[in-house]
Every structure is written in C-alpha cells, then in structure tokens.
Amino acid sequence: AQQTPTADVLVAGKDPGLIVRNTNPVELETPVALLREHRYTPKNIMYIRNNLGVPPGMQLTTELPRVEEWTVEVVGLVDKPLTLRLSELKRLPATELEMVLQCSGNGRSFFSKYARASGAQWERGALANVRWKGVKLSAVLEGAGVKPEALFLTAEGADQPANPQAPDIERSVPLRDVLPSALLAYEMNGEPLPTVHGGPLRLILPGYYGINNIKWVNRLRLEAAASTNNTMIPRYRVPLAPIPVGSTFTFTLDNSRPNWRQNVKAVILSPAEGQSVSGIIEVRGVAWNDGSAPITGVEVSTNQGRSWQSASLEKPSSPYGWYPWRIRVVVATGDTEVWARATDALGRSQPIDGAILWNPNGYEWNAVDKVKIKVG
Ligand code: MSS
C-alpha cells in the first residue's frame, strides 16, 4: 500500500502534525492540541480546504505566490465595470479584523454516530482564528456604482479546474447582509496572504462559513439572483427543515438554503478526545457565532447534561473572532464525558442531540461538543 504523504510534504511550510484528510485536492485538519496553543492561528498549522487545485502557475505553499500583478474585475449590475489592480487596492485605506474561518463541514465526522455524512471526516479542526487585513468591499463597490437591482454578490476564484469541463468555484451571498464587514484581504496575521490560503487576494466575509470566503478572487459579479453553479446547488446547502437521519434528499432552491451565516458553537480544545486525566481538570476551548450578537456564556457539564457550570470567557477584538473560555471541574473516576455549549445574546445555543441537524453532506454541525476522557 502507498503511504499518505505528510502535511509538510503536501504543502510547503505546513506542520507535519496536521491531519491529512485528503491529498488531491488538499484537505488538512489542525489537531486540537495545536489549535489551543494560539490566540491567532499561525499559517503553518492552519487547516486547508481546497475544492480544486491552486491557480495555474501557483504552488502549494504557505509562501506568497510569485505573480507579477493580480487584478479583480467588478462586473454586472454596476454603472461602471472596473478592473482593479492589487497595487491600487493596497493604496486605499486598510481595515484589519480578527475572524473565525470554519469549513461548513467542520464536525462532519460527529454525524456518523447517526449515519455517515459524505465528505472529509473533519473533527473539530477545520477551524482557525486569524487576522485579515485588506480594503473594505464597500469602498471598492462605491467606485463601480452598484445598481439597486443588484441583490447578490458572486465571487469567482481562479482555481485550476480539476478537468476543463468542471465548473469553476463561485459563490453567491446576499449583498446587503455582507457589505458592512466584507473585505478584499491581502494580509493574514500581519503578513502577505499565503498562496494556499488564497493569496494574493481573497474575499473575506466575517461571520460566514468558509466556502463563502473565496480564495484567489479575480471577479466579483453584482447580480439580481444567486448563481446556480454546483458550488451553490446542490453543494454547500442544508435542508430548511430537519430530515430523517440517513435519508436521501434532492436539493432544490425552495427546500434548502446555502451555508451562509455560522451557527453558534463551542468546541473543547482541552482535554482532547481519549485523553487520560486525574480528578480535577481544566477544560478549555473556544466559542463563536456569526458575529451578529455577542457570545454571553459557555457552560460545561461533566454529568451528561444533568447540571451545567459557567466557564470564564475572554472577548475577541472583533465580533467575528473566537472567545477563549476555561473552567476547572471535578470529574468522576472511570470513562466519562465532558460537554460544552455556548449561548449568545440572541438566545441561540446548541442542540444536545445532533440528530436534528443531520444532513447528507454533514454541514453546519453545532451540537453540544462531547469529549470522552479516562479519569484515573
Ligand atoms: N476558494 C476557492 N477559490 N476555492 C476553494 O476550493 N474552498 C472554500 C474556501 N474558499 C475554496 C475557496 C472552503 S470550502 C473553505 S472551508 C475555505 O476556503 C478554506 O480556507 P483555507 O484557507 O483554510 O484553506 Mo468549507 O465550507
């Protein structure tokens, strides 16, 4: 049997400790033991989800791509279509913000308790918290003069198609909802944006699931309707109402919605699944939502949800960053579980049983996080 290459071999500059979920296209997960070490996730351990390959001529690396110039077009329902050079964008006023980037499929493997959902079997670590710097999309669009009929923004990426027939990656989002915070980003964590994370230019939509944050963005379309490209339907959508576990589902525009705004969620980063601990432990993790309301609490249970204790929370520097939390708890000897759930100011929280979230592609998992540990 052929051995799976390690993450550092697949992508230059990545930590060999990343979990390889897929080699082509590359999908790498960050283990919780690495994730918990940093307030802002460094590029060498940040997860990767690619649907296709990096754009023609680029390398799978955390270095900056060697491209002479990058341009992004603004077309569609605008008074004046634009072609903007990256060098021009960099001369406009810049904004920097902290934001959780999470794959819509993060936590997918937890659905398998009910029925396996298809796709990379991510656990907790298709997740990062990074600082993005770039120009506000609203400032760029002002120059183009967006017509009132433009309700959707569709972003195209310059990905290498898997085969010439395959549709390109493109993703639509509701324009008015994203406009206040959207960025065209050219820096991550204070450095030029790494190639594998979308450098030299990426659309950043704070609060939205990973897929909407189009890497290597080279065209923005302002249109009256959302794209019906396969990245919009049937992929990256969830049913509007719960469906039976394990059932098949035919996605239509009416019975489903795209993975847009992120669900409220807490994950436990310590202890790790299967870890052996002694009677009193510190439980640590992070919590976040779509940024539309603050996280108000994270609660932890060591008795299968019979009682909950409040963890202490740290605030992020933007509504879209993660809230680190921690609490010391006493755990009963033997095989036991630690649970965690977050609540936000809109009263949104996490279901105890993930069955009601079940969907064929395993998107938007946000059931109460449950970690099995051994207490000696
Ligand atoms: N972009 C592009 N251009 N392409 C691709 O493939 N993917 C998605 C995003 N963007 C893509 C893009 C996804 S899907 C995700 S998650 C993200 O990205 C990731 O990122 P990183 O940087 O980490 O790799 Mo799921 O929802």
Side-chain angles (χ1 to χ4, degrees):
Q2 257 190 316
Q3 237 188 306
T4 307
T6 49
D8 54 320
V9 172
L10 287 168
V11 181
K14 286 290 174 182
D15 189 296
L18 298 186
I19 305 160
V20 178
R21 295 281 176 213
N22 198 3
T23 56
N24 188 21
V26 174
E27 294 179 271
L28 305 177
E29 172 163 354
T30 314
V32 293
L34 293 179
L35 213 47
R36 68 187 175 217
E37 297 302 323
H38 311 273
R39 183 83 185 77
Y40 303 115
T41 315
K43 66 179 179 182
N44 65 318
I45 64 159
M46 183 165 163
Y47 85 98
I48 298 179
R49 167 41 165 154
N50 278 346
N51 279 270
L52 304 169
V54 292
M58 287 191 192
Q59 311 294 318
L60 281 164
T61 172
T62 60
E63 297 298 310
L64 186 70
R66 282 192 213 98
V67 286
E68 285 296 307
E69 183 59 290
W70 190 262
T71 57
V72 57
E73 289 178 64
V74 180
V75 298
L77 295 169
V78 292
D79 297 329
K80 196 174 86 182
L82 304 172
T83 303
L84 296 157
R85 284 197 299 272
L86 178 56
S87 53
E88 297 173 65
L89 295 177
K90 285 185 176 166
R91 284 198 292 270
L92 298 172
T95 301
E96 187 171 27
L97 64 79
E98 169 183 2
M99 187 193 89
V100 168
L101 185 73
Q102 179 196 204
C103 181
S104 346
N106 193 33
R108 177 181 289 132
S109 66
F110 305 130
F111 282 110
S112 64
K113 172 176 172 196
Y114 311 103
R116 193 175 195 269
S118 66
Q121 295 300 301
W122 304 112
E123 292 172 12
R124 295 172 182 81
L127 173 71
N129 186 52
V130 293
R131 287 175 292 129
W132 304 101
K133 184 175 167 186
V135 51
K136 286 197 143 192
L137 180 66
S138 55
V140 170
L141 293 187
E142 236 163 71
V146 177
K147 299 197 161 122
E149 311 88 85
L151 299 182
F152 289 89
L153 167 73
T154 299
E156 297 179 21
D159 312 49
Q160 175 89 67
N163 69 64
Q165 269 76 7
D168 288 319
I169 293 292
E170 64 179 46
R171 189 71 182 168
S172 306
V173 292
L175 180 62
R176 226 158 292 156
D177 194 49
V178 302
L179 210 50
S181 60
L183 297 181
L184 285 171
Y186 46 76
E187 275 187 23
M188 191 179 94
N189 294 338
E191 275 182 64
L193 189 51
T195 306
V196 281
H197 297 298
L201 192 67
R202 180 173 194 167
L203 178 64
I204 289 299
L205 301 175
Y208 274 57
Y209 279 107
I211 181 58
N212 305 289
N213 296 259
I214 292 295
K215 307 192 242 191
W216 317 296
V217 64
N218 62 0
R219 187 179 289 119
L220 298 170
R221 300 180 345 234
L222 286 305
E223 290 168 348
S227 164
T228 53
N229 173 287
N230 84 345
T231 321
M232 287 302 292
I233 182 164
R235 305 180 66 214
Y236 295 105
R237 304 179 80 80
V238 288
L240 282 176
I243 58 167
V245 166
S247 58
T248 53
F249 187 78
T250 307
F251 287 90
T252 69
L253 293 173
D254 298 323
N255 69 10
S256 62
R257 61 167 178 82
N259 304 135
W260 280 337
R261 286 180 163 274
Q262 293 183 91
N263 289 333
V264 59
K265 188 167 174 182
V267 296
I268 298 168
L269 299 181
S270 180
E273 181 79 27
Q275 203 176 309
S276 295
V277 301
S278 58
I280 300 177
I281 57 167
E282 185 176 57
V283 183
R284 285 200 290 139
V286 291
W288 71 95
N289 63 1
D290 64 355
S292 63
I295 298 289
T296 46
V298 170
E299 296 163 290
V300 168
S301 175
T302 54
N303 56 13
Q304 317 268 320
R306 279 191 297 281
S307 64
W308 297 85
Q309 290 166 266
S310 293
S312 63
L313 288 182
E314 244 176 83
K315 275 212 178 78
S317 64
S318 104
Y320 308 102
W322 67 27
Y323 292 63
W325 55 265
R326 59 177 66 220
I327 183 173
R328 289 185 78 79
V329 293
V330 180
V331 279
T333 307
D335 286 345
T336 182
E337 287 187 4
V338 178
W339 292 8
R341 70 173 178 210
T343 304
D344 72 13
L346 294 173
R348 298 177 300 187
S349 190
Q350 306 180 235
I352 298 237
D353 186 358
I356 62 157
L357 301 167
W358 194 91
N359 62 95
N361 303 319
Y363 291 131
E364 301 195 2
W365 171 268
N366 80 323
V368 167
D369 199 18
K370 300 174 182 176
V371 169
K372 288 190 180 63
I373 52 172
K374 287 181 200 311
V375 187

